[in-house]
Amino acid sequence: MSDDTLSQLVAEAIAHHISPLVRWLYAVFTAVVVGTAFVVGMVYEVKYGITDAKRDAGDAKATAVSALQATTDLRTTVTGHDRDIAVLKFQRGGE
């Protein structure tokens, strides 16, 4: 057996046994990259979700304040109309 044949057999044996390990390492590396991208995506989604929720809460608070002001204005208007109706009834003779 020549040295070339022996070297070729050893190289083929090493390649045969290392090939699954290299494929496994590529698979692990790919899984780590995909997992990291997934986690980073979730973090950004949660971060922007919180930002959106804060903005929506601010909008809701502004709407609530506006509704309270409108209610106060309406209450004042109703009170004024009640007073006007009472005066008109008094002027007509207490119907």
Side-chain angles (χ1 to χ4, degrees), residues 31-45:
V32 167
V33 168
V34 169
T36 301
F38 181 72
V39 168
V40 167
M42 283 180 21
V43 166
Y44 279 110
E45 184 176 337

Side-chain angles (χ1 to χ4, degrees), residues 1 4 7 14 19-20 27 29 34 39 41 44-45 48 54-55 58 64 66 68 70 74-75 78-79 83-84 86 88:
M1 187 180 288
D4 290 336
S7 296
I14 290 173
S19 164
F29 177 75
V34 169
V39 168
Y44 279 110
E45 184 176 337
Y48 290 118
K54 284 181 181 178
R55 186 183 65 245
S66 175
L68 285 174
L74 184 60
R75 185 176 296 131
V78 169
T79 303
R83 187 185 62 241
D84 292 344
L88 288 174

Side-chain angles (χ1 to χ4, degrees), residues 20-77:
L21 177 65
V22 171
R23 276 188 255 137
W24 182 81
L25 287 173
Y26 281 138
V28 167
F29 177 75
T30 303
V32 167
V33 168
V34 169
T36 301
F38 181 72
V39 168
V40 167
M42 283 180 21
V43 166
Y44 279 110
E45 184 176 337
V46 167
K47 180 180 175 182
Y48 290 118
I50 290 171
T51 302
D52 290 343
K54 284 181 181 178
R55 186 183 65 245
D56 291 345
D59 292 346
K61 185 176 180 181
T63 302
V65 167
S66 175
L68 285 174
Q69 182 61 40
T71 302
T72 303
D73 293 344
L74 184 60
R75 185 176 296 131
T76 304
T77 302

